[in-house]
Amino acid sequence: MSRIGRKPIEVPAGVKVAISPGAVQVTGPLGELSQVVPARMQVEQIEAEILVTRPTERGEDRALHGLTRTLIANMVEGVTSGYEKHLEIQGVGYRAQLKGSDLELAVGYSHTVLIKPRAGISFDVPIPTQIVVKGIDKQMVGQTAAEVRKVRPPEPYKGKGIRYRDELVRRKVGKRA
């Protein structure tokens, strides 16, 4: 077993980890997540730490080692503090609002666009031009935020559309007379 690249995952109090062959299940204050892990990677819990070790130094094993460790670390963080993606809407008359748990977008089409949240995902609209996607699964939060952005991606001439809060949209110069 290789011990190179050891970086244990700290397990906070109140989080329970169940390790079985080929799977890891993490339960915390916000919910429960499970992940299938490659059988070649050894996952063990030593007191308040989770340690992932790889069998060899081959490139494939090294890549799987990093992936497995990161997936488990994201699950632990998700069940303790959760994940959020912040989106901004720019454009005259563009706005968002909640209809129950669904997100309704008015972004320049002849109709409003209704987006239903997946299981474990919730939307928040603090002001009509901001959307917050929340959840405990990092991949699902990112995927849902990408689907909301895809409704009206930012265009390069006027910058109108839905963008991530820290996204930089490269602007183009329009026609010249």
PDB file of all heavy atoms in Angstrom, residues 7-43:
ATOM      1  N   LYS A   7      -3.507  12.413   2.774  1.00  0.00           N
ATOM      2  CA  LYS A   7      -4.148  13.617   3.278  1.00  0.00           C
ATOM      3  C   LYS A   7      -5.487  13.164   3.848  1.00  0.00           C
ATOM      4  O   LYS A   7      -6.455  13.012   3.123  1.00  0.00           O
ATOM      5  CB  LYS A   7      -4.351  14.637   2.164  1.00  0.00           C
ATOM      6  CG  LYS A   7      -4.848  15.960   2.670  1.00  0.00           C
ATOM      7  CD  LYS A   7      -4.902  16.990   1.581  1.00  0.00           C
ATOM      8  CE  LYS A   7      -5.421  18.293   2.144  1.00  0.00           C
ATOM      9  NZ  LYS A   7      -5.707  19.263   1.109  1.00  0.00           N
ATOM     10  N   PRO A   8      -5.529  12.884   5.152  1.00  0.00           N
ATOM     11  CA  PRO A   8      -6.766  12.361   5.734  1.00  0.00           C
ATOM     12  C   PRO A   8      -7.883  13.400   5.703  1.00  0.00           C
ATOM     13  O   PRO A   8      -7.645  14.602   5.692  1.00  0.00           O
ATOM     14  CB  PRO A   8      -6.370  12.016   7.168  1.00  0.00           C
ATOM     15  CG  PRO A   8      -5.115  12.740   7.428  1.00  0.00           C
ATOM     16  CD  PRO A   8      -4.461  13.015   6.114  1.00  0.00           C
ATOM     17  N   ILE A   9      -9.100  12.901   5.687  1.00  0.00           N
ATOM     18  CA  ILE A   9     -10.287  13.753   5.696  1.00  0.00           C
ATOM     19  C   ILE A   9     -10.779  13.836   7.134  1.00  0.00           C
ATOM     20  O   ILE A   9     -11.054  12.814   7.758  1.00  0.00           O
ATOM     21  CB  ILE A   9     -11.381  13.156   4.787  1.00  0.00           C
ATOM     22  CG1 ILE A   9     -10.852  12.967   3.370  1.00  0.00           C
ATOM     23  CG2 ILE A   9     -12.623  14.023   4.805  1.00  0.00           C
ATOM     24  CD1 ILE A   9     -11.689  12.035   2.536  1.00  0.00           C
ATOM     25  N   GLU A  10     -10.858  15.052   7.659  1.00  0.00           N
ATOM     26  CA  GLU A  10     -11.343  15.264   9.020  1.00  0.00           C
ATOM     27  C   GLU A  10     -12.858  15.076   9.050  1.00  0.00           C
ATOM     28  O   GLU A  10     -13.569  15.636   8.229  1.00  0.00           O
ATOM     29  CB  GLU A  10     -11.008  16.675   9.500  1.00  0.00           C
ATOM     30  CG  GLU A  10      -9.528  16.962   9.583  1.00  0.00           C
ATOM     31  CD  GLU A  10      -8.838  16.234  10.702  1.00  0.00           C
ATOM     32  OE1 GLU A  10      -9.467  15.994  11.750  1.00  0.00           O
ATOM     33  OE2 GLU A  10      -7.655  15.893  10.534  1.00  0.00           O
ATOM     34  N   VAL A  11     -13.333  14.288  10.000  1.00  0.00           N
ATOM     35  CA  VAL A  11     -14.771  14.061  10.160  1.00  0.00           C
ATOM     36  C   VAL A  11     -15.224  14.844  11.384  1.00  0.00           C
ATOM     37  O   VAL A  11     -14.835  14.524  12.507  1.00  0.00           O
ATOM     38  CB  VAL A  11     -15.078  12.558  10.336  1.00  0.00           C
ATOM     39  CG1 VAL A  11     -16.570  12.344  10.525  1.00  0.00           C
ATOM     40  CG2 VAL A  11     -14.566  11.768   9.148  1.00  0.00           C
ATOM     41  N   PRO A  12     -16.066  15.891  11.200  1.00  0.00           N
ATOM     42  CA  PRO A  12     -16.522  16.672  12.341  1.00  0.00           C
ATOM     43  C   PRO A  12     -17.455  15.876  13.244  1.00  0.00           C
ATOM     44  O   PRO A  12     -18.018  14.859  12.844  1.00  0.00           O
ATOM     45  CB  PRO A  12     -17.264  17.857  11.711  1.00  0.00           C
ATOM     46  CG  PRO A  12     -17.202  17.681  10.255  1.00  0.00           C
ATOM     47  CD  PRO A  12     -16.537  16.397   9.938  1.00  0.00           C
ATOM     48  N   ALA A  13     -17.640  16.368  14.447  1.00  0.00           N
ATOM     49  CA  ALA A  13     -18.556  15.714  15.385  1.00  0.00           C
ATOM     50  C   ALA A  13     -19.973  15.789  14.830  1.00  0.00           C
ATOM     51  O   ALA A  13     -20.359  16.775  14.204  1.00  0.00           O
ATOM     52  CB  ALA A  13     -18.488  16.409  16.741  1.00  0.00           C
ATOM     53  N   GLY A  14     -20.737  14.748  15.025  1.00  0.00           N
ATOM     54  CA  GLY A  14     -22.110  14.723  14.534  1.00  0.00           C
ATOM     55  C   GLY A  14     -22.250  14.116  13.146  1.00  0.00           C
ATOM     56  O   GLY A  14     -23.345  14.008  12.625  1.00  0.00           O
ATOM     57  N   VAL A  15     -21.124  13.742  12.542  1.00  0.00           N
ATOM     58  CA  VAL A  15     -21.151  13.121  11.210  1.00  0.00           C
ATOM     59  C   VAL A  15     -20.784  11.657  11.370  1.00  0.00           C
ATOM     60  O   VAL A  15     -19.779  11.316  12.000  1.00  0.00           O
ATOM     61  CB  VAL A  15     -20.163  13.825  10.250  1.00  0.00           C
ATOM     62  CG1 VAL A  15     -20.096  13.105   8.927  1.00  0.00           C
ATOM     63  CG2 VAL A  15     -20.564  15.269  10.046  1.00  0.00           C
ATOM     64  N   LYS A  16     -21.614  10.791  10.799  1.00  0.00           N
ATOM     65  CA  LYS A  16     -21.362   9.352  10.857  1.00  0.00           C
ATOM     66  C   LYS A  16     -20.980   8.868   9.468  1.00  0.00           C
ATOM     67  O   LYS A  16     -21.609   9.226   8.477  1.00  0.00           O
ATOM     68  CB  LYS A  16     -22.605   8.608  11.336  1.00  0.00           C
ATOM     69  CG  LYS A  16     -22.964   8.872  12.778  1.00  0.00           C
ATOM     70  CD  LYS A  16     -24.173   8.054  13.185  1.00  0.00           C
ATOM     71  CE  LYS A  16     -24.491   8.209  14.649  1.00  0.00           C
ATOM     72  NZ  LYS A  16     -24.825   9.532  15.062  1.00  0.00           N
ATOM     73  N   VAL A  17     -19.930   8.040   9.406  1.00  0.00           N
ATOM     74  CA  VAL A  17     -19.450   7.486   8.141  1.00  0.00           C
ATOM     75  C   VAL A  17     -19.565   5.972   8.208  1.00  0.00           C
ATOM     76  O   VAL A  17     -19.063   5.348   9.141  1.00  0.00           O
ATOM     77  CB  VAL A  17     -17.986   7.904   7.887  1.00  0.00           C
ATOM     78  CG1 VAL A  17     -17.490   7.324   6.587  1.00  0.00           C
ATOM     79  CG2 VAL A  17     -17.852   9.415   7.879  1.00  0.00           C
ATOM     80  N   ALA A  18     -20.230   5.393   7.212  1.00  0.00           N
ATOM     81  CA  ALA A  18     -20.357   3.943   7.108  1.00  0.00           C
ATOM     82  C   ALA A  18     -19.606   3.497   5.858  1.00  0.00           C
ATOM     83  O   ALA A  18     -19.938   3.901   4.750  1.00  0.00           O
ATOM     84  CB  ALA A  18     -21.823   3.531   7.017  1.00  0.00           C
ATOM     85  N   ILE A  19     -18.569   2.685   6.067  1.00  0.00           N
ATOM     86  CA  ILE A  19     -17.735   2.224   4.954  1.00  0.00           C
ATOM     87  C   ILE A  19     -18.022   0.750   4.726  1.00  0.00           C
ATOM     88  O   ILE A  19     -17.900  -0.068   5.636  1.00  0.00           O
ATOM     89  CB  ILE A  19     -16.244   2.449   5.266  1.00  0.00           C
ATOM     90  CG1 ILE A  19     -15.971   3.936   5.510  1.00  0.00           C
ATOM     91  CG2 ILE A  19     -15.381   1.914   4.136  1.00  0.00           C
ATOM     92  CD1 ILE A  19     -14.615   4.238   6.060  1.00  0.00           C
ATOM     93  N   SER A  20     -18.419   0.432   3.500  1.00  0.00           N
ATOM     94  CA  SER A  20     -18.619  -0.958   3.112  1.00  0.00           C
ATOM     95  C   SER A  20     -17.810  -1.180   1.842  1.00  0.00           C
ATOM     96  O   SER A  20     -17.405  -0.216   1.193  1.00  0.00           O
ATOM     97  CB  SER A  20     -20.103  -1.246   2.883  1.00  0.00           C
ATOM     98  OG  SER A  20     -20.608  -0.430   1.859  1.00  0.00           O
ATOM     99  N   PRO A  21     -17.542  -2.432   1.457  1.00  0.00           N
ATOM    100  CA  PRO A  21     -16.749  -2.668   0.249  1.00  0.00           C
ATOM    101  C   PRO A  21     -17.408  -2.037  -0.983  1.00  0.00           C
ATOM    102  O   PRO A  21     -18.534  -2.372  -1.338  1.00  0.00           O
ATOM    103  CB  PRO A  21     -16.715  -4.195   0.133  1.00  0.00           C
ATOM    104  CG  PRO A  21     -16.980  -4.687   1.513  1.00  0.00           C
ATOM    105  CD  PRO A  21     -17.876  -3.670   2.152  1.00  0.00           C
ATOM    106  N   GLY A  22     -16.717  -1.085  -1.581  1.00  0.00           N
ATOM    107  CA  GLY A  22     -17.205  -0.446  -2.798  1.00  0.00           C
ATOM    108  C   GLY A  22     -18.172   0.702  -2.582  1.00  0.00           C
ATOM    109  O   GLY A  22     -18.698   1.246  -3.542  1.00  0.00           O
ATOM    110  N   ALA A  23     -18.406   1.112  -1.341  1.00  0.00           N
ATOM    111  CA  ALA A  23     -19.344   2.212  -1.095  1.00  0.00           C
ATOM    112  C   ALA A  23     -19.018   2.923   0.216  1.00  0.00           C
ATOM    113  O   ALA A  23     -18.480   2.320   1.142  1.00  0.00           O
ATOM    114  CB  ALA A  23     -20.777   1.702  -1.045  1.00  0.00           C
ATOM    115  N   VAL A  24     -19.351   4.203   0.256  1.00  0.00           N
ATOM    116  CA  VAL A  24     -19.190   5.010   1.463  1.00  0.00           C
ATOM    117  C   VAL A  24     -20.488   5.777   1.660  1.00  0.00           C
ATOM    118  O   VAL A  24     -21.030   6.356   0.717  1.00  0.00           O
ATOM    119  CB  VAL A  24     -18.006   5.999   1.337  1.00  0.00           C
ATOM    120  CG1 VAL A  24     -17.931   6.921   2.534  1.00  0.00           C
ATOM    121  CG2 VAL A  24     -16.702   5.263   1.162  1.00  0.00           C
ATOM    122  N   GLN A  25     -20.993   5.790   2.891  1.00  0.00           N
ATOM    123  CA  GLN A  25     -22.215   6.503   3.214  1.00  0.00           C
ATOM    124  C   GLN A  25     -21.910   7.476   4.345  1.00  0.00           C
ATOM    125  O   GLN A  25     -21.335   7.097   5.363  1.00  0.00           O
ATOM    126  CB  GLN A  25     -23.299   5.519   3.631  1.00  0.00           C
ATOM    127  CG  GLN A  25     -24.640   6.151   3.844  1.00  0.00           C
ATOM    128  CD  GLN A  25     -25.719   5.107   4.089  1.00  0.00           C
ATOM    129  OE1 GLN A  25     -25.442   3.920   4.173  1.00  0.00           O
ATOM    130  NE2 GLN A  25     -26.950   5.570   4.212  1.00  0.00           N
ATOM    131  N   VAL A  26     -22.298   8.750   4.143  1.00  0.00           N
ATOM    132  CA  VAL A  26     -22.027   9.797   5.119  1.00  0.00           C
ATOM    133  C   VAL A  26     -23.360  10.394   5.563  1.00  0.00           C
ATOM    134  O   VAL A  26     -24.178  10.785   4.730  1.00  0.00           O
ATOM    135  CB  VAL A  26     -21.121  10.892   4.514  1.00  0.00           C
ATOM    136  CG1 VAL A  26     -20.836  11.977   5.527  1.00  0.00           C
ATOM    137  CG2 VAL A  26     -19.821  10.304   4.006  1.00  0.00           C
ATOM    138  N   THR A  27     -23.579  10.455   6.876  1.00  0.00           N
ATOM    139  CA  THR A  27     -24.800  11.019   7.443  1.00  0.00           C
ATOM    140  C   THR A  27     -24.418  12.161   8.372  1.00  0.00           C
ATOM    141  O   THR A  27     -23.513  12.019   9.197  1.00  0.00           O
ATOM    142  CB  THR A  27     -25.580   9.944   8.232  1.00  0.00           C
ATOM    143  OG1 THR A  27     -25.770   8.815   7.396  1.00  0.00           O
ATOM    144  CG2 THR A  27     -26.916  10.475   8.687  1.00  0.00           C
ATOM    145  N   GLY A  28     -25.099  13.292   8.202  1.00  0.00           N
ATOM    146  CA  GLY A  28     -24.793  14.460   9.026  1.00  0.00           C
ATOM    147  C   GLY A  28     -26.045  15.233   9.354  1.00  0.00           C
ATOM    148  O   GLY A  28     -27.162  14.785   9.082  1.00  0.00           O
ATOM    149  N   PRO A  29     -25.879  16.434   9.909  1.00  0.00           N
ATOM    150  CA  PRO A  29     -27.032  17.222  10.327  1.00  0.00           C
ATOM    151  C   PRO A  29     -27.946  17.641   9.170  1.00  0.00           C
ATOM    152  O   PRO A  29     -29.141  17.821   9.358  1.00  0.00           O
ATOM    153  CB  PRO A  29     -26.428  18.455  11.003  1.00  0.00           C
ATOM    154  CG  PRO A  29     -24.963  18.340  10.903  1.00  0.00           C
ATOM    155  CD  PRO A  29     -24.614  17.041  10.281  1.00  0.00           C
ATOM    156  N   LEU A  30     -27.412  17.807   7.962  1.00  0.00           N
ATOM    157  CA  LEU A  30     -28.220  18.266   6.835  1.00  0.00           C
ATOM    158  C   LEU A  30     -28.801  17.136   6.000  1.00  0.00           C
ATOM    159  O   LEU A  30     -29.656  17.377   5.147  1.00  0.00           O
ATOM    160  CB  LEU A  30     -27.407  19.194   5.924  1.00  0.00           C
ATOM    161  CG  LEU A  30     -26.921  20.488   6.553  1.00  0.00           C
ATOM    162  CD1 LEU A  30     -26.154  21.318   5.546  1.00  0.00           C
ATOM    163  CD2 LEU A  30     -28.093  21.284   7.099  1.00  0.00           C
ATOM    164  N   GLY A  31     -28.320  15.921   6.173  1.00  0.00           N
ATOM    165  CA  GLY A  31     -28.866  14.823   5.375  1.00  0.00           C
ATOM    166  C   GLY A  31     -27.897  13.670   5.249  1.00  0.00           C
ATOM    167  O   GLY A  31     -26.957  13.532   6.032  1.00  0.00           O
ATOM    168  N   GLU A  32     -28.144  12.858   4.237  1.00  0.00           N
ATOM    169  CA  GLU A  32     -27.364  11.640   4.032  1.00  0.00           C
ATOM    170  C   GLU A  32     -26.965  11.532   2.564  1.00  0.00           C
ATOM    171  O   GLU A  32     -27.775  11.768   1.668  1.00  0.00           O
ATOM    172  CB  GLU A  32     -28.240  10.446   4.422  1.00  0.00           C
ATOM    173  CG  GLU A  32     -27.596   9.100   4.247  1.00  0.00           C
ATOM    174  CD  GLU A  32     -28.550   7.988   4.669  1.00  0.00           C
ATOM    175  OE1 GLU A  32     -29.078   8.058   5.785  1.00  0.00           O
ATOM    176  OE2 GLU A  32     -28.726   7.066   3.868  1.00  0.00           O
ATOM    177  N   LEU A  33     -25.700  11.174   2.322  1.00  0.00           N
ATOM    178  CA  LEU A  33     -25.178  10.976   0.966  1.00  0.00           C
ATOM    179  C   LEU A  33     -24.442   9.651   0.900  1.00  0.00           C
ATOM    180  O   LEU A  33     -23.828   9.225   1.882  1.00  0.00           O
ATOM    181  CB  LEU A  33     -24.210  12.100   0.578  1.00  0.00           C
ATOM    182  CG  LEU A  33     -24.798  13.486   0.382  1.00  0.00           C
ATOM    183  CD1 LEU A  33     -23.679  14.507   0.213  1.00  0.00           C
ATOM    184  CD2 LEU A  33     -25.703  13.515  -0.819  1.00  0.00           C
ATOM    185  N   SER A  34     -24.495   9.018  -0.257  1.00  0.00           N
ATOM    186  CA  SER A  34     -23.719   7.793  -0.442  1.00  0.00           C
ATOM    187  C   SER A  34     -23.023   7.855  -1.789  1.00  0.00           C
ATOM    188  O   SER A  34     -23.487   8.531  -2.716  1.00  0.00           O
ATOM    189  CB  SER A  34     -24.619   6.560  -0.355  1.00  0.00           C
ATOM    190  OG  SER A  34     -25.584   6.599  -1.373  1.00  0.00           O
ATOM    191  N   GLN A  35     -21.908   7.170  -1.896  1.00  0.00           N
ATOM    192  CA  GLN A  35     -21.081   7.205  -3.104  1.00  0.00           C
ATOM    193  C   GLN A  35     -20.451   5.837  -3.326  1.00  0.00           C
ATOM    194  O   GLN A  35     -19.939   5.228  -2.390  1.00  0.00           O
ATOM    195  CB  GLN A  35     -19.981   8.266  -2.944  1.00  0.00           C
ATOM    196  CG  GLN A  35     -19.055   8.394  -4.112  1.00  0.00           C
ATOM    197  CD  GLN A  35     -19.738   9.049  -5.298  1.00  0.00           C
ATOM    198  OE1 GLN A  35     -20.457  10.020  -5.151  1.00  0.00           O
ATOM    199  NE2 GLN A  35     -19.527   8.494  -6.464  1.00  0.00           N
ATOM    200  N   VAL A  36     -20.493   5.387  -4.566  1.00  0.00           N
ATOM    201  CA  VAL A  36     -19.794   4.159  -4.933  1.00  0.00           C
ATOM    202  C   VAL A  36     -18.332   4.534  -5.163  1.00  0.00           C
ATOM    203  O   VAL A  36     -18.037   5.513  -5.850  1.00  0.00           O
ATOM    204  CB  VAL A  36     -20.411   3.547  -6.214  1.00  0.00           C
ATOM    205  CG1 VAL A  36     -19.625   2.333  -6.655  1.00  0.00           C
ATOM    206  CG2 VAL A  36     -21.860   3.184  -5.971  1.00  0.00           C
ATOM    207  N   VAL A  37     -17.416   3.785  -4.558  1.00  0.00           N
ATOM    208  CA  VAL A  37     -15.988   4.061  -4.722  1.00  0.00           C
ATOM    209  C   VAL A  37     -15.339   2.876  -5.438  1.00  0.00           C
ATOM    210  O   VAL A  37     -15.816   1.742  -5.333  1.00  0.00           O
ATOM    211  CB  VAL A  37     -15.289   4.311  -3.361  1.00  0.00           C
ATOM    212  CG1 VAL A  37     -15.831   5.563  -2.709  1.00  0.00           C
ATOM    213  CG2 VAL A  37     -15.433   3.144  -2.432  1.00  0.00           C
ATOM    214  N   PRO A  38     -14.268   3.115  -6.182  1.00  0.00           N
ATOM    215  CA  PRO A  38     -13.584   2.017  -6.866  1.00  0.00           C
ATOM    216  C   PRO A  38     -13.099   0.964  -5.870  1.00  0.00           C
ATOM    217  O   PRO A  38     -12.594   1.297  -4.790  1.00  0.00           O
ATOM    218  CB  PRO A  38     -12.401   2.695  -7.555  1.00  0.00           C
ATOM    219  CG  PRO A  38     -12.781   4.136  -7.645  1.00  0.00           C
ATOM    220  CD  PRO A  38     -13.667   4.416  -6.491  1.00  0.00           C
ATOM    221  N   ALA A  39     -13.255  -0.287  -6.236  1.00  0.00           N
ATOM    222  CA  ALA A  39     -12.884  -1.388  -5.337  1.00  0.00           C
ATOM    223  C   ALA A  39     -11.387  -1.414  -5.053  1.00  0.00           C
ATOM    224  O   ALA A  39     -10.952  -1.916  -4.021  1.00  0.00           O
ATOM    225  CB  ALA A  39     -13.332  -2.719  -5.938  1.00  0.00           C
ATOM    226  N   ARG A  40     -10.596  -0.866  -5.978  1.00  0.00           N
ATOM    227  CA  ARG A  40      -9.133  -0.869  -5.802  1.00  0.00           C
ATOM    228  C   ARG A  40      -8.674   0.071  -4.695  1.00  0.00           C
ATOM    229  O   ARG A  40      -7.622  -0.137  -4.107  1.00  0.00           O
ATOM    230  CB  ARG A  40      -8.451  -0.485  -7.113  1.00  0.00           C
ATOM    231  CG  ARG A  40      -8.723  -1.478  -8.220  1.00  0.00           C
ATOM    232  CD  ARG A  40      -8.329  -0.886  -9.561  1.00  0.00           C
ATOM    233  NE  ARG A  40      -6.975  -0.394  -9.566  1.00  0.00           N
ATOM    234  CZ  ARG A  40      -5.983  -0.918 -10.270  1.00  0.00           C
ATOM    235  NH1 ARG A  40      -6.221  -1.959 -11.022  1.00  0.00           N
ATOM    236  NH2 ARG A  40      -4.781  -0.407 -10.238  1.00  0.00           N
ATOM    237  N   MET A  41      -9.443   1.110  -4.423  1.00  0.00           N
ATOM    238  CA  MET A  41      -9.061   2.070  -3.384  1.00  0.00           C
ATOM    239  C   MET A  41      -9.494   1.550  -2.020  1.00  0.00           C
ATOM    240  O   MET A  41     -10.600   1.034  -1.865  1.00  0.00           O
ATOM    241  CB  MET A  41      -9.728   3.426  -3.627  1.00  0.00           C
ATOM    242  CG  MET A  41      -9.307   4.109  -4.897  1.00  0.00           C
ATOM    243  SD  MET A  41      -7.556   4.460  -4.936  1.00  0.00           S
ATOM    244  CE  MET A  41      -7.085   3.574  -6.385  1.00  0.00           C
ATOM    245  N   GLN A  42      -8.608   1.668  -1.054  1.00  0.00           N
ATOM    246  CA  GLN A  42      -8.931   1.248   0.308  1.00  0.00           C
ATOM    247  C   GLN A  42      -9.350   2.468   1.108  1.00  0.00           C
ATOM    248  O   GLN A  42      -8.608   3.447   1.198  1.00  0.00           O
ATOM    249  CB  GLN A  42      -7.719   0.608   0.976  1.00  0.00           C
ATOM    250  CG  GLN A  42      -7.702  -0.876   0.891  1.00  0.00           C
ATOM    251  CD  GLN A  42      -6.783  -1.441   1.956  1.00  0.00           C
ATOM    252  OE1 GLN A  42      -5.811  -0.822   2.359  1.00  0.00           O
ATOM    253  NE2 GLN A  42      -7.113  -2.638   2.413  1.00  0.00           N
ATOM    254  N   VAL A  43     -10.553   2.419   1.664  1.00  0.00           N
ATOM    255  CA  VAL A  43     -11.071   3.506   2.484  1.00  0.00           C
ATOM    256  C   VAL A  43     -11.225   2.974   3.891  1.00  0.00           C
ATOM    257  O   VAL A  43     -11.861   1.942   4.114  1.00  0.00           O
ATOM    258  CB  VAL A  43     -12.434   4.000   1.952  1.00  0.00           C
ATOM    259  CG1 VAL A  43     -12.940   5.159   2.787  1.00  0.00           C
ATOM    260  CG2 VAL A  43     -12.338   4.403   0.495  1.00  0.00           C
TER     261      VAL A  43
END
